[in-house]
Amino acid sequence: MSIIKSVDVKKWYGDFQALKGISMDVAEGEVLVIAGPSGSGKSTFIRCINRLEQHQDGQIFVDGIELTNDLKNIEAIRSEVGMVFQSFNLFPHLTVLQNITLAPIWVRKKSKTEAEEKAMELLERVGIPEQAEKFPGQLSGGQQQRVAIARALAMEPKIMLFDEPTSALDPEMIKEVLDVMKELAKSGMTMIVVTHEMGFAKEVADRVMLFDDGQLVEENTPDEFFNNPKSDRTKLFLSQIL
Amino acid sequence: MQDNKTLESPPEIQFAGVSRWLKENLFSSLSSSILSLLSVAAVVSIFRAIIGFFISPEREWTAVTYNLQLYMVQAYPESDFIRVWITVGLLISLLGLSWGFNSLKEKVVIKEWCDGLLKGISSFLFIILIAPTNVDVEGTSVEVFKNNTRYICLAVGIGLIFAVYLLRKTSPKTEIIRDRISFLYLSLLVGSIWIIKVPTVTFTSSNERVDPDPFLPLANTTTIPWTIIFGCMIFAYLIGTFLKAKGKNSMSRLILSSWVLAPLVIVSWIYRKPDFGMSNILTLDIPIAVAFSVLGILAIRTLNKEKIVPYQRYITYGMLALTVVIFFLPVLRQLKILFFITWLLVSVAPTIANSKESAKNLSIVWSVTVFILILLMRGASSESLIVVPGSSIYGGFTLTWLIAFFGIAISFPFGVILALGRTSKLPVIRIMCTAVIELVRSVPFITWLFFGSVMLTLFLPKGVEFDEVLRAIVVTAIFSSAYLAENVRGGLQSISNGQFEAADAVGLSTLQRITLIIMPQALRAVIPPIVSQVISLFKDTSLVAIVGLFDLLYIGSKVIPNQSQGANFLGTIQENILFCAIFYWIFTYSFARRSMKIEKRLGLGER
Ligand SMILES: Nc1ncnc2c1ncn2[C@@H]1O[C@H](COP(=O)(O)OP(=O)(O)O)[C@@H](O)[C@H]1O
Ligand SMILES: [Mg+2]
């Protein structure tokens, strides 16, 4: 039973075609890693999944609901899909705690105390409960990204999307974020992770995909992907980054 | 080693250090020494001239002190002054309340406070020291500042410095709450209006000016009201701190609403003394208010019913059409406005009142609003019992304040809406907002004032008449919104795309995204330009004199220097203009200081 399904998704920016027909599906609880060179359409594709971008052709279904321009559908899907950005995008004018409780209070209509309890639980889970009252600007990059993960989790999503979550981090902070993500993967969350961290892919991914030039060129188990890739493009890609 | 270093405190500047500082900064070389001496000489001679100008016997400062009443309220009848005092008292008490409630209980160490005091006292000593003994009056030199007085002042100043220095030495680390210091200064100020005596223009029973002017307390007739108001302020401050200590956070919303409400109550009920007629309230206003609050509550209850939900949109459109129709019908103005806010209610109720509890809250807010609104409108639309021959009941500083306050307050929501409109994706809205902003900005303020005064009546339907002051306020508000919109737009542009995306990704609606994420950041980013805008608007209110209103500056520059009845102040233009300048400066500068503090406090959340 697939929780995300895309059928021949195409997307243009002006005349430039960023996605040239992507068809794939993700099962519930699966961890999917998307790799590929810069500009190959990885971000564009996962941003289509929660409608930060609109695809122009093909279909995307999330949890059985098709993504259309219907506002009700979009809102329903956005509260089921959490997203973590490369540049964190925390709200700088709110404290860490307020960042996390904002959406549960205003979108899920939770009470403040309930939302704060849950937020503290999540901060505990990502390992920074002592930072709750600070502002994002007072935290390190790794800590900010963990807050961003907690913020997404606070909506209790069924699916988490990660767009290069460690690319903006200093090397010594990458591990702390990856550890949180690994823990999340083991807890059974459905995840799509765009990343260049091949170690992460080997360890926790159920499947790895390679994007190139707006196309899905390879889809494989991590074992096969790294040791016995089907396409030449993958071999080239692996030789460049490993 | 590194740790040891951080524990060490920076070296203190001792008195030995002062001479070194002087040497390093002022006398490091021959040329810089000459330059320093020359500039000190220049500063001293300029100050001497200024001080001489102020204390010259040619200056008739009684022209200012005698006319303070005119400056504040212009020709408001003396028999109704209690209304003015209630206004002032209400606002100052509210100020005290929010001060107490929002106070951070910031502490200052005695040492820092003393340093500030020392600076102040030294400037005082400097002025005393260089003040000229004689000034030239039409060719002859007149003694204005006796050397004996100078010595006494110097002695007092040096005594004070010594006292402060001792205090600084004995308990440098003790902390005091900053608010207490402010209250100390304020009480010194209030005390001084009792104690300090100045020459005061007085008249004998046969209406002749007493010569020479007798010395009377500074505030003369207003000492008691000011003292009472000061008492009220302290009391309100204490209530504020008490509420804060009790952790009543819902109070902050209440205080904010009182700030919105107080000016409206003042202009509709207190200051203008409406001839309302109790029967009007009982037979007309109360029934209408009851009807509308019931209507609103019913709307809140039913709009979220399962069966109604699909028709919500049509109900909103229907209500809008009804509002427009009512607007053009010859019915009470009250009804037009009530229909308008009912439409607002109908359009927001489905999103706001989506749970039992919030529906209940909205119902309460709605009923209270309807009642307050209808009473305010009754006050505002009744005939005023205050008669000021030849001009509006607002004049002097009251007018300046009124136009500035309402102009700015009204321009805020409109400015924000215009800014959002100009950045909107919908072309019709974007073009309309851009056109409004550009049109308003590209015509001088004075032109708009004329337009409001002379031409607005031509465009309005027959029978709709605006008071001259209201017209000035409307014009000011429109003018200010255009500028504000551009400032806010600058703030909007400074917000990264990531913020919009993050707000979308956590599922916020468009309205929530704007009010919770985008606007708070955009406004914060543009506090400095907004502060400048508010300051210049405050000063620009002096332009309303051009359409026949008596504002502070007009009274100072035209009215008083032409006074020849009773006390003769013909030609006292220098004194009055200087007074106006100082008056404007006090308000704008303290506002700028205040907003700098707020900026600092908000700056905590910045990257
Ligand atoms: N907003 C946009 N406007 C125009 N072109 C865009 C935009 N966003 C992305 N692109 C283009 O689409 C292509 C795919 O981008 P992206 O999905 O960000 O790639 P990746 O995340 O794999 O590096 C790139 O060539 C990029 O230049
Ligand atoms: Mg990318």
Side-chain angles (χ1 to χ4, degrees), chain B residues 75-91:
Chain B
Y76 199 81
E78 218 155 314
S79 53
D80 281 304
F81 266 11
I82 182 73
R83 292 177 177 271
V84 178
W85 287 117
I86 291 175
T87 302
V88 177
L90 191 65
L91 290 177

Side-chain angles (χ1 to χ4, degrees), chain B residues 247-536:
Chain B
K248 299 227 157 120
N249 256 330
S250 58
M251 287 307 289
S252 73
R253 236 175 269 170
L254 208 62
I255 293 176
L256 201 68
S257 352
S258 346
W259 270 114
V260 175
L261 205 56
L264 296 174
V265 172
I266 287 168
V267 293
S268 65
W269 280 92
I270 301 179
Y271 204 83
R272 62 192 303 274
K273 197 177 180 183
D275 183 16
F276 53 90
M278 205 58 203
S279 62
N280 275 339
I281 293 188
L282 290 180
T283 59
L284 201 61
D285 293 350
I286 303 273
I288 291 179
V290 170
F292 270 88
S293 58
V294 170
L295 191 75
I297 292 171
L298 279 181
I300 295 167
R301 287 268 175 88
T302 46
L303 276 174
N304 274 320
K305 287 245 161 73
E306 202 86 12
K307 275 190 222 150
I308 307 285
V309 169
Y311 306 108
Q312 271 173 2
R313 192 180 289 215
Y314 303 108
I315 294 175
T316 314
Y317 290 149
M319 200 59 217
L320 177 61
L322 193 59
T323 308
V324 173
V325 170
I326 295 276
F327 184 80
F328 288 105
L329 286 183
V331 293
L332 284 177
R333 210 181 292 175
Q334 275 95 318
L335 283 179
K336 295 180 185 175
I337 295 181
L338 283 174
F339 268 102
F340 175 71
I341 63 165
T342 310
W343 167 64
L344 283 184
L345 177 81
V346 170
S347 39
V348 298
T351 40
I352 296 182
N354 47 10
S355 73
K356 262 232 161 69
E357 207 193 315
S358 51
K360 204 178 121 203
N361 287 342
L362 188 63
S363 304
I364 294 171
V365 171
W366 168 255
S367 302
V368 173
T369 317
V370 167
F371 271 88
I372 289 177
L373 212 69
I374 203 153
L375 287 178
L376 285 177
M377 286 191 286
R378 169 59 61 198
S381 61
S382 307
E383 200 79 15
S384 170
L385 288 175
I386 306 278
V387 190
V388 176
S391 78
S392 152
I393 61 168
Y394 298 103
F397 181 59
T398 317
L399 180 75
T400 299
W401 181 89
L402 187 82
I403 294 178
F405 179 85
F406 279 101
I408 292 159
I410 297 170
S411 72
F412 250 87
F414 284 105
V416 167
I417 289 171
L418 278 178
L420 286 172
R422 196 169 180 174
T423 51
S424 161
K425 284 200 192 86
L426 306 170
V428 181
I429 293 178
R430 188 177 60 234
I431 291 169
M432 254 170 46
C433 290
T434 312
V436 169
I437 292 171
E438 294 304 336
L439 180 69
V440 172
R441 278 205 308 172
S442 47
V443 176
F445 186 39
I446 294 186
T447 315
W448 283 121
L449 282 172
F450 272 127
F451 179 81
S453 162
V454 225
M455 283 156 71
L456 203 60
T457 34
L458 304 181
F459 291 85
L460 286 175
K462 275 230 167 64
V464 180
E465 271 195 34
F466 270 136
D467 177 7
E468 189 77 43
V469 175
L470 190 58
R471 271 184 262 171
I473 290 176
V474 169
V475 170
T476 313
I478 292 174
F479 193 73
S480 161
S481 352
Y483 278 88
L484 195 83
E486 285 303 278
N487 281 334
V488 173
R489 191 165 69 94
L492 286 175
Q493 278 170 347
S494 74
I495 292 168
S496 73
N497 222 8
Q499 291 293 313
F500 288 82
E501 285 174 359
D504 279 345
V506 292
L508 296 181
S509 70
T510 310
L511 189 66
Q512 288 168 341
R513 182 180 68 200
I514 291 170
T515 53
L516 299 171
I517 307 297
I518 306 303
M519 267 304 149
Q521 293 184 57
L523 290 179
R524 228 167 272 214
V526 292
I527 288 176
I530 288 181
V531 168
S532 326
Q533 197 204 327
V534 169
I535 286 177
S536 63

Side-chain angles (χ1 to χ4, degrees), chain A residues 73-86:
Chain A
N73 278 356
I74 297 175
E75 274 169 22
I77 280 157
R78 279 184 182 158
S79 58
E80 281 187 14
V81 181
M83 176 136 189
V84 174
F85 300 88
Q86 178 175 355

Side-chain angles (χ1 to χ4, degrees), chain A residues 13-14 16 18 36-45 53 163-164 194 211:
Chain A
Y13 289 112
F16 175 76
S38 176
S40 56
K42 311 181 293 291
S43 298
T44 306
F45 179 68
E53 303 283 359
D163 190 0
E164 303 200 26
V194 173
F211 270 48

Side-chain angles (χ1 to χ4, degrees), chain B residues 23-60:
Chain B
K23 197 166 174 190
E24 278 174 6
N25 288 287
L26 299 180
F27 302 106
S28 55
S29 71
L30 182 68
S31 57
S32 74
S33 303
I34 293 174
L35 217 62
S36 301
L37 286 177
L38 277 179
S39 38
V40 166
V43 167
V44 167
S45 59
I46 290 171
F47 266 83
R48 262 176 89 90
I50 293 175
I51 298 164
F53 178 84
F54 268 89
I55 62 177
S56 159
E58 281 182 303
R59 294 286 89 69
E60 203 162 346

